[in-house]
Amino acid sequence: MNYPNGLHKKSNNVVNYGNRGMVLEDDLNVTNEYYRENDIAVIYKKPTPITIHKVNYKSRDNAFIEKASFKIPSTTDYNGIYKGKYIDFDAKETRSKTSFPLANIHKHQLKHLDSIVRHGGIGFLIVRFVTLNKTFLLMWEDIKQFIKDGSRKSIPLSYFEERGKILELSLRPRLDYLKYIEVMYEKCEK
Amino acid sequence: MNYPNGLHKKSNNVVNYGNRGMVLEDDLNVTNEYYRENDIAVIYKKPTPITIHKVNYKSRDNAFIEKASFKIPSTTDYNGIYKGKYIDFDAKETRSKTSFPLANIHKHQLKHLDSIVRHGGIGFLIVRFVTLNKTFLLMWEDIKQFIKDGSRKSIPLSYFEERGKILELSLRPRLDYLKYIEVMYEKCEK
């Protein structure tokens, strides 16, 4: 099942936000921070979409949300600008060793990526096969070509190896995905 | 004082989300929906940034946030893509009849807009003078020129009238701000 933003369910029914499950998300947050600090790109993770039901204002600067619920996201989690280009992507982890289950992404997120690319933006997915310790970047154009009519249930690892770019971890930036975007984008310009 | 996303404080210390204060936000949401439905642009309001402290998972599909707090936003509220261009803006209402107080915007939101424009994006503010029933679009370049060294406390109405574009309400789309972006963008291209 999908928990919002890599939350871990604990047995006592309460989620511990201090102990977050999604390492890929942390890698990307640190990387985006590096890009911003070095004025390379301005890319942020969007806040988790929620519906707020009840807020308590204790004082002027002290408001607490007492009841809220998670919303299904309409868009991907990450967007921003790089060299004048609109960048849009989502990041997913899977424990599968053989394929990436498409059930991990909402249909309207795929529709969103399609729409972004149609409007001249750069759309892609970053997928980590946790058990294999491999992270891939796969452009929306390649994903679209694979899923075609929507009857596919998953994208096999072999397709990521063939069409995607493998992202290596390094010190700074931790997961330099823009390096590959640049390469692919220059290809298109020629 | 600033309540996040146009909330209204009620005397009993509880905020009523059904009775939202910011009409401009509604106008923009409806407009962006129109742009998306007609495949003109893909622009969304970002979710309100919060820090979640406690979540209760009642069942598989039923998770409730029991405690969370508002975070100061690092970016503007709206971004997306229009004709291949990255678009980024914030929307503010003021009850002042003479000027827009800069205290209404966080400093890092201004810094964010500056950074966006430096990277080749289109950045602006949409400001509504509620009492005057006038809504303006003012490009970041003009805002920057006015605030200069940061000693300004507000932007006078006259500056909006001189440098900004007045946005008229209409049926569909309700607040067609992209019309003016197009005009200004074409000017720059020449």
Side-chain angles (χ1 to χ4, degrees), chain A residues 52-65:
Chain A
I52 298 172
H53 303 290
K54 196 178 166 195
V55 177
N56 195 330
Y57 281 101
K58 286 180 199 293
S59 71
R60 202 182 156 88
D61 298 314
N62 191 0
F64 267 98
I65 297 161

Side-chain angles (χ1 to χ4, degrees), chain B residues 121-167:
Chain B
I122 296 174
F124 52 91
L125 283 184
I126 293 179
V127 174
R128 178 169 292 172
F129 291 83
V130 179
T131 329
L132 305 173
N133 203 19
K134 283 186 177 175
T135 311
F136 294 93
L137 186 157
L138 191 59
M139 298 301 284
W140 169 250
E141 290 84 344
D142 291 316
I143 300 165
K144 190 179 181 176
Q145 195 178 331
F146 185 82
I147 59 180
K148 282 172 187 151
D149 58 353
S151 62
R152 300 279 195 172
K153 291 272 179 278
S154 64
I155 304 175
L157 175 64
S158 59
Y159 192 76
F160 284 91
E161 289 173 330
E162 190 194 320
R163 299 286 190 99
K165 290 285 167 190
I166 197 153
L167 300 182

Side-chain angles (χ1 to χ4, degrees), chain A residues 24 124-129 134-140 142-143 157-169 175-187:
Chain A
L24 176 57
F124 52 92
L125 282 184
I126 293 178
V127 173
R128 177 168 292 171
F129 290 82
K134 283 186 175 174
T135 310
F136 294 93
L137 186 156
L138 191 60
M139 298 301 284
W140 168 250
D142 290 315
I143 299 165
L157 173 66
S158 60
Y159 192 77
F160 284 91
E161 289 174 327
E162 190 195 319
R163 299 287 189 99
K165 289 285 169 191
I166 198 153
L167 300 181
E168 303 288 357
L169 284 170
L175 199 66
D176 194 3
Y177 60 93
L178 288 180
K179 186 166 74 178
Y180 299 99
I181 291 302
E182 187 155 32
V183 171
M184 277 180 277
Y185 181 54
E186 279 172 1
K187 267 188 204 163

